[in-house]
Amino acid sequence: HHGALDGRYVFKRSYGDVIWAKGKMEEDYLVRKCGVPRERVEIGAPLLPANWNARDKKRQEFQPYLLFFSEACDTSGGRQEEFYRDILPPLADLARATGRKLVVKLHPAESERERAGMLARILSAEQKGATLMVSGPLTEDLLVKAWFGITILSTVAMECAVRGIPCFLCKWLESWPYSYVEQFIRFGVGIGLSDPSEIVRIPEYLQESPVSAEVRENCWQAAAPGRLREMLVTSRKAYTTAVR
């Protein structure tokens, strides 16, 4: 599955003998939350992309961006402008107070023109001066410069955790029934915010909740070298025996 978690295992059936999870967080979710038999789940992520560790190697003393990962919530019935009204003004104020920029990173399914109109209606002139909107692929340059990430619910929380970037989750806006936010928080992948008033306290939370190496391991553990080949050979032998 391309995302951090796949809640559809609650009701879908997999015909594979083994389901590969990317790390302990996904393994726990499949077994505890979705009821997949533990013996059918094995941890085995692809090799971690080399540039995912860029934050550790190029860490700056001052990260200039507050990185908000926007989502196309309105396509699933969410009221996007109301969500923005909750999140963006206090983030822009925090950016101004700390000498940083609020970067609104759009999801590929979002319209830059439409979202720009929302920002114009929601933010004051001073707040807009501290805000940038970015579309297109998520780049390492953005992530390396991120003081923290914040989103409602997105796999990008896991991508931040692997890179050692704290990510905040707006729990009061979660509408999906799969308990992804709960699982992220359970494994330290995201820091939950219960109300917009907590955004002003983010600097305090950053001091209290650094992203540890254990959290990164819980998100992503590469499969042992040769494991996929071993599984395919075993499967082929079993098939050949059955045919004979």
Side-chain angles (χ1 to χ4, degrees), residues 112-144:
E112 186 172 357
R113 181 178 178 180
E114 183 182 11
R115 296 306 190 236
M118 286 188 185
L119 263 63
R121 293 191 293 273
I122 290 167
L123 301 178
S124 68
E126 293 79 9
Q127 290 168 338
K128 281 186 282 187
T131 304
L132 299 173
M133 181 176 288
V134 175
S135 58
L138 178 61
T139 66
E140 291 300 324
D141 184 59
L142 274 179
L143 289 163
V144 167

Side-chain angles (χ1 to χ4, degrees), residues 71-241:
E71 300 162 70
C73 301
D74 40 6
T75 61
S76 57
R79 287 177 267 188
Q80 190 80 24
E81 188 157 336
E82 292 185 22
F83 293 176
Y84 272 15
R85 286 187 188 280
D86 272 2
I87 300 170
L88 296 186
L91 280 176
D93 287 340
L94 180 58
R96 294 178 63 225
T98 58
R100 292 177 166 90
K101 285 283 187 181
L102 166 61
V103 176
V104 179
K105 171 62 183 72
L106 297 183
H107 186 276
E110 292 181 289
S111 162
E112 186 172 357
R113 181 178 178 180
E114 183 182 11
R115 296 306 190 236
M118 286 188 185
L119 263 63
R121 293 191 293 273
I122 290 167
L123 301 178
S124 68
E126 293 79 9
Q127 290 168 338
K128 281 186 282 187
T131 304
L132 299 173
M133 181 176 288
V134 175
S135 58
L138 178 61
T139 66
E140 291 300 324
D141 184 59
L142 274 179
L143 289 163
V144 167
K145 294 176 181 177
W147 186 28
F148 62 83
I150 181 168
T151 186
I152 298 171
L153 169 61
S154 174
T155 289
V156 78
M158 181 187 74
E159 295 187 28
C160 284
V162 171
R163 292 171 170 87
I165 302 168
C167 190
F168 293 86
L169 305 167
C170 302
K171 294 194 301 179
W172 74 94
L173 295 175
E174 182 185 15
S175 59
W176 281 69
Y178 298 126
S179 303
Y180 290 163
V181 167
E182 174 192 316
Q183 188 72 359
F184 286 157
I185 294 171
R186 180 184 179 91
F187 278 82
V189 171
I191 303 164
L193 300 177
S194 301
D195 188 87
S197 63
E198 290 190 60
I199 290 174
V200 71
R201 299 185 59 193
I202 282 178
E204 299 172 37
Y205 298 150
L206 289 173
Q207 295 294 323
E208 299 167 2
S209 305
V211 181
S212 68
E214 182 183 5
V215 169
R216 289 180 246 179
E217 277 192 19
N218 285 339
C219 291
W220 200 285
Q221 293 181 38
R227 177 59 180 143
L228 179 57
R229 180 182 297 275
E230 176 189 331
M231 292 173 68
L232 293 175
V233 169
T234 301
S235 179
R236 182 180 179 184
K237 286 179 178 177
Y239 172 76
T240 303
T241 301

